[in-house]
Amino acid sequence: MPARFFDAATLERETPRLANPSDLVFRETGCHGVAEGAALAAVGAEGHLALAKRRSARATCAIGLSPRIVDPSVVGRSRGKLAILGLGPGADDSRTPEVDAALREATDWVGYRLYLDLLQPLASGKVQHPFDLGAEEARVSHALDLAAAGRDVALVSSGDAGIYAMATLVFELIERGGHADWARVEILGLPGVSAMQVAAARVGAPLGHDFCAISLSDLLTPWPVIERRLRAAADGDFVVALYNPVSQRRRSQFAAARDILRTARPAETPVVLGRNLGRSGESLRITTLAQLDPADVDMLTVVLIGASATRAVSRPDGGHWVYTPRGYASKTEGAV
Amino acid sequence: MPARFFDAATLERETPRLANPSDLVFRETGCHGVAEGAALAAVGAEGHLALAKRRSARATCAIGLSPRIVDPSVVGRSRGKLAILGLGPGADDSRTPEVDAALREATDWVGYRLYLDLLQPLASGKVQHPFDLGAEEARVSHALDLAAAGRDVALVSSGDAGIYAMATLVFELIERGGHADWARVEILGLPGVSAMQVAAARVGAPLGHDFCAISLSDLLTPWPVIERRLRAAADGDFVVALYNPVSQRRRSQFAAARDILRTARPAETPVVLGRNLGRSGESLRITTLAQLDPADVDMLTVVLIGASATRAVSRPDGGHWVYTPRGYASKTEGAV
């Protein structure tokens, strides 16, 4: 049996027919009875209350009786659902089938305009809500509003929605409060492959041992916090994946990050620059920490900086594989 | 036109017919002529050398002439290919279509027995090479041997093959040397969703800001190195994903890791324990750094330990969402 929901104003219109109207309930919810009101709203004017409300520790129920069969699809609305989806790098064959299924099931798609454009082959019948770059709070608020109104909403991010993308803002906005209906939305998160993983798979296995991910964007994070993380990454000898290495107004952070890591690991440490990975115009470059130049990166680049153990191995085609060994055993045992 | 390959012994049998046999080439390759030998081997006994070898800076070529049409599929062998595949958490709908396509294309599958079992619906016609847990070097060597012999091999890992899995060992074994044919294999890496991403998506967005991944396995990494990384993670206030938190013989590292992080972040810091994610018997628990008990984790658990900014928010169903805000703006601006 599908669960259906009513807003407080609809329930309040049933007040004259309630068996147990309550001012306390009204002050908390905006209607004088939730269970009885919902039962009456579901059966409509021709129906009546068959069982007045009963309470248990965790729920209250009431039963309405209708002279006709009730069609649940036109009674009230569904709970509303928000699927937070990671599209992976961008190509159709790098999205998981569970993400595709959630896209097909959704009534509404919310996301950055260019990501929705990538999905047009699946878009038939969808209400699309494209947003411009940067309007993240408006985007997520709109998605929550739609879901709270009973829509089945897909909020899309490229890569993994949980890594430097939209997912965390959903929970941040819910916690800020002021929208009790947002907290009641059913939320489903489905992961996707993030840019650092694509860069790593293309080039070998640079993330083959302990690594960290650091965003160089100081839009929401003060530079001293970012700098502290970079120093810790250097101290810990982590492989470092840098997201948002530069922006149009911001380039100095990248040079500072490079300089911090240069103090702690060899000049010839391999560095991987992946740009537009998984989309047309993809490029991948291998360089070294010594030769790394901020001019080599842009907003669409993910940067992987090796740990001290990370190695570049010649390929017969003249290129290199980059990998970080699983441990330190091969160093002490030599070439076995 | 497909490229086809011959081993040195096959080429050496063409020595009597070579226009330019070379002792130098023999010492380097094990046959007296590569280009002419290959042309002659391709056209067979009825053919002859139409053009003797010519050299450029990067290549040498020779042309053979056959009285019949040459069927390339029965001449020599293909180059051999190794696809390093991440299966994601395990369910069919969490594997990317590009990984499925590589599995279908492969002639041979190599992997841990239980992962191959997960793939049985696609297994028709595949030669399977199941390995027991722990036999990683034997597994990867076998995959490289098969590919070097011209097979189209899929080497499978759960999660992302590039994150604490098989990929890095491929390049480590190639670099160790002793198998020149391994280095000539065509290698394709395709990423998958790793366990920390599944745990994060299920529970909210704990990886929503800078994070690191640390394996607590001291099988190949000495404990002082792991400990240094844990201290750096504490200093940098990273969200920490712990892989391989314990094993059957090893439990003390997990308590030590917890104690290091306890010194640097609040007792109520949220901790997520994800076990068997994406498979039957999946479980997910939310606890705090203060209450975290080594008895709560096993070999199949991935552990996410929040940063100081990570928050647990009540859900209407009595559970919690865990998320790490994108930055620090919300702290200073208050609830807007």
Side-chain angles (χ1 to χ4, degrees), chain B residues 85 87 90 92 95 103 108-124 126-132 139 142 153-158 279:
Chain B
L85 307 179
L87 301 184
D92 283 344
R95 275 197 314 272
L103 286 167
D108 294 68
W109 288 356
V110 178
Y112 172 43
R113 188 176 301 278
L114 293 186
Y115 300 155
L116 296 187
D117 287 348
L118 290 174
L119 298 172
Q120 286 318 301
L122 300 177
S124 167
K126 306 300 173 190
V127 185
Q128 296 190 51
H129 308 263
F131 280 78
D132 291 328
R139 218 185 294 175
H142 190 64
V153 181
L155 175 65
V156 306
S157 291
S158 72
R279 301 189 202 149

Side-chain angles (χ1 to χ4, degrees), chain B:
Chain B
M1 184 157 58
R4 305 293 293 181
F5 297 79
F6 301 93
D7 60 24
T10 303
L11 296 183
E12 180 60 6
R13 283 198 290 274
E14 301 295 339
T15 303
R17 300 205 287 167
L18 297 178
N20 299 286
S22 160
D23 288 339
L24 179 66
V25 170
F26 179 77
R27 282 195 300 274
E28 286 199 359
T29 67
C31 61
H32 282 79
V34 176
E36 293 181 359
L40 287 162
V43 297
E46 296 180 341
H48 67 276
L49 197 61
L51 182 76
K53 76 170 174 185
R54 299 214 177 165
R55 267 194 202 165
S56 72
R58 304 189 57 176
T60 305
C61 84
I63 299 178
L65 191 63
S66 167
R68 304 164 202 276
I69 291 174
V70 174
D71 175 0
S73 71
V74 297
V75 165
R77 63 188 191 207
S78 66
R79 180 179 172 192
K81 190 170 161 183
L82 177 63
I84 308 172
L85 307 179
L87 301 184
D92 283 344
D93 62 354
S94 61
R95 275 197 314 272
T96 63
E98 64 182 6
V99 166
D100 272 20
L103 286 167
R104 286 181 209 280
E105 199 186 297
T107 55
D108 294 68
W109 288 356
V110 178
Y112 172 43
R113 188 176 301 278
L114 293 186
Y115 300 155
L116 296 187
D117 287 348
L118 290 174
L119 298 172
Q120 286 318 301
L122 300 177
S124 167
K126 306 300 173 190
V127 185
Q128 296 190 51
H129 308 263
F131 280 78
D132 291 328
L133 201 62
E136 283 99 356
E137 288 210 13
R139 218 185 294 175
V140 173
S141 298
H142 190 64
L144 282 163
D145 278 339
L146 288 166
R151 308 288 295 177
D152 190 338
V153 181
L155 175 65
V156 306
S157 291
S158 72
D160 186 325
I163 297 180
Y164 303 123
M166 291 293 104
T168 196
L169 190 51
V170 171
F171 304 100
E172 197 175 326
L173 291 183
I174 288 174
E175 194 190 11
R176 273 193 207 166
H179 296 268
D181 53 342
W182 286 359
R184 287 193 286 267
V185 164
E186 180 186 353
I187 297 179
L188 170 74
L190 295 176
V193 167
S194 188
M196 65 178 172
Q197 297 170 281
V198 182
R202 296 276 201 277
V203 85
L207 302 179
H209 207 339
D210 305 334
F211 64 92
C212 65
I214 302 176
S215 167
L216 295 186
S217 169
D218 62 354
L219 219 56
L220 293 170
T221 306
W223 172 248
V225 174
I226 302 172
E227 196 177 26
R228 173 182 166 199
R229 294 227 164 100
L230 290 163
R231 292 194 192 285
D235 289 345
D237 194 21
F238 286 98
V239 177
V240 180
L242 295 177
Y243 282 74
N244 309 311
V246 297
S247 75
Q248 287 185 333
R249 57 158 195 89
R250 170 178 61 76
R251 299 199 70 84
S252 66
Q253 287 83 351
F254 183 71
R258 174 200 62 187
D259 294 344
I260 288 169
L261 293 168
R262 263 186 192 167
T263 62
R265 47 194 77 174
E268 66 273 21
T269 299
V271 175
V272 178
L273 307 174
R275 187 176 183 283
N276 235 355
L277 295 172
R279 301 189 202 149
S280 63
E282 162 173 327
S283 80
L284 202 73
R285 264 193 62 193
I286 299 172
T287 180
T288 64
L289 199 45
Q291 293 179 317
L292 183 58
D293 183 338
D296 296 337
V297 304
D298 68 8
M299 287 174 68
L300 302 175
T301 308
V302 66
V303 181
L304 305 183
I305 299 177
S308 63
T310 304
R311 304 180 57 78
V313 188
S314 294
R315 296 161 51 153
D317 65 3
H320 290 84
W321 296 116
V322 176
Y323 79 98
T324 306
R326 296 165 305 153
Y328 295 77
S330 58
K331 280 201 164 173
T332 51
E333 291 170 10
V336 181

